[in-house]
């Protein structure tokens, strides 16, 4: 009987799961980090074990100063190579000249166009040549993410996704960060559980949803930039066998 990917990986620790990924997808797995708490935990597990997994980040040009700080701290602590992917300068120039630097607040269409230029298109470049994409998604984070699976097929990007922290809680993530003294974004201490671009992120109040601080001016119940959309919808695709 052939076990599904989920059955084979679901009982493994973060470290063991990533070790197996590195063995089964040598040089073909990429982890994309935004330097949030979850991503820092995965980064530590990869770099502390010297695994053959690429680490990439999307520098949108509108990140918080604190994000660049933890990025630098991570590179120094682990003597790491983190690949950076940037938006096309001409596309940014055209967008800003046509609609203005803060047009994301004017319409959902403008905000999604900005996300596409600054994140979605650079992500496609980051995933070139990869067969597996590792992300820091957790079920607890809210919205459609509660329907996320440990492994999924992203048909739009033609890639398999792996969420090793899927069943971790926020407290478990913090415990891991503290145990291994992993650098983390100081904004987490100021009420920012989820951190993206500076114009699109605010701190949340007690009792608010985990992602309430992202695109807070919008009324949509499922607010995403599009990185984890499948076929244009906020719906995951289930993983199969290997």
């Amino acid at each position: 009987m052939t076990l599904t990917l989920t059955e084979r990986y679901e009982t493994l620790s973060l470290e063991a799961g990533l070790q197996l990924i590195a063995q089964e997808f040598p040089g073909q797995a990429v982890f994309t980090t935004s330097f949030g708490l979850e991503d820092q935990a995965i980064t530590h597990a990869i770099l502390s074990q010297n695994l053959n997994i690429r680490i990439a980040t999307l520098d949108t040009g509108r990140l918080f100063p604190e994000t660049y700080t933890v990025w630098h701290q991570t590179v120094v602590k682990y003597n790491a190579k983190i690949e950076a992917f940037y938006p096309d300068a001409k596309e940014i120039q055209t967008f800003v000249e046509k609609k203005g630097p803060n047009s994301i607040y004017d319409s959902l269409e403008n905000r999604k166009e900005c996300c596409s230029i600054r994140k979605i298109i650079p992500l496609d470049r980051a995933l070139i040549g990869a067969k597996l994409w590792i992300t820091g998604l957790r079920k607890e984070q809210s919205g459609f993410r509660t329907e996320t699976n440990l492994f999924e097929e992203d048909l739009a990007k033609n890639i398999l996704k792996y969420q090793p922290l899927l069943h971790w809680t926020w407290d478990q993530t913090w415990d891991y960060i503290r145990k291994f003294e992993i650098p983390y974004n100081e904004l987490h201490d100021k009420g920012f559980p989820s951190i993206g671009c500076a114009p699109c992120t605010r701190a949340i109040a007690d009792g608010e949803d985990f992602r309430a601080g992202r695109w807070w001016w919008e009324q949509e119940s499922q607010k995403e930039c599009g990185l984890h959309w499948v076929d244009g919808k906020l719906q995951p695709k289930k993983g199969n066998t290997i």
Side-chain angles (χ1 to χ4, degrees):
M1 178 180 177
T2 303
L3 295 177
T4 66
L5 282 169
T6 294
E7 289 171 330
R8 293 173 55 217
Y9 278 79
E10 63 184 352
T11 61
L12 298 179
S13 67
L14 171 61
E15 291 81 2
L18 290 170
Q19 285 176 14
L20 190 55
I21 287 294
Q23 293 170 16
E24 298 192 329
F25 299 87
Q28 298 173 317
V30 59
F31 167 55
T32 53
T33 177
S34 60
F35 302 99
L37 207 68
E38 296 88 355
D39 291 344
Q40 286 300 96
I42 296 174
T43 295
H44 170 81
I46 292 173
L47 296 178
S48 63
Q49 299 184 101
N50 194 30
L51 299 179
N52 185 17
I53 295 174
R54 290 171 48 216
I55 301 179
T57 192
L58 310 177
D59 186 349
T60 65
R62 305 203 76 176
L63 302 178
F64 286 96
E66 290 87 347
T67 301
Y68 291 107
T69 296
V70 73
W71 178 351
H72 179 71
Q73 290 172 339
T74 302
V75 169
V76 171
K77 177 179 176 67
Y78 299 99
N79 189 27
K81 176 184 178 181
I82 296 178
E83 302 175 49
F85 291 83
Y86 300 86
D88 180 85
K90 183 62 177 178
E91 290 186 12
I92 291 294
Q93 180 179 347
T94 300
F95 176 77
V96 172
E97 288 179 349
K98 180 180 178 181
K99 298 187 175 181
N102 288 324
S103 62
I104 57 172
Y105 302 120
D106 297 336
S107 72
L108 180 61
E109 177 186 45
N110 288 350
R111 195 274 288 175
K112 288 186 175 180
E113 182 178 355
C114 186
C115 284
S116 178
I117 295 170
R118 296 181 185 273
K119 300 176 74 173
I120 311 305
I121 296 174
L123 172 64
D124 289 341
R125 297 203 311 271
L127 296 179
I128 290 176
K131 290 187 176 180
L132 183 129
W133 173 23
I134 303 168
T135 81
L137 297 184
R138 294 186 301 108
K139 277 183 177 287
E140 189 186 59
Q141 287 172 326
S142 81
F144 87 101
R145 298 183 177 200
T146 62
E147 301 175 7
T148 304
N149 301 285
L150 190 65
F151 283 91
E152 296 175 346
E153 294 177 271
D154 190 322
L155 300 182
K157 296 180 176 62
N158 191 30
I159 199 167
L160 184 66
K161 289 171 64 177
Y162 173 46
Q163 281 82 224
L165 302 186
L166 187 66
H167 301 295
W168 283 34
T169 65
W170 184 236
D171 288 341
Q172 283 177 300
T173 310
W174 266 115
D175 289 344
Y176 189 88
I177 293 294
R178 293 177 178 125
K179 177 181 179 180
F180 294 105
E181 299 181 341
I182 302 170
Y184 68 88
N185 196 317
E186 292 182 356
L187 291 176
H188 288 310
D189 294 328
K190 301 176 181 179
F192 289 75
S194 177
I195 303 169
C197 292
C200 302
T201 314
R202 65 162 173 79
I204 65 172
D206 289 342
E208 279 194 298
D209 181 84
F210 185 89
R211 289 177 65 80
R214 303 295 294 277
W215 309 291
W216 69 92
W217 65 92
E218 296 177 1
Q219 300 303 311
E220 286 190 337
S221 60
Q222 294 178 317
K223 296 183 292 183
E224 295 286 335
C225 63
L227 289 184
H228 301 288
W229 288 1
V230 177
D231 298 334
K233 300 178 181 179
L234 295 172
Q235 297 293 332
K237 294 290 184 182
K238 299 184 186 303
N240 297 313
T241 58
I242 194 167

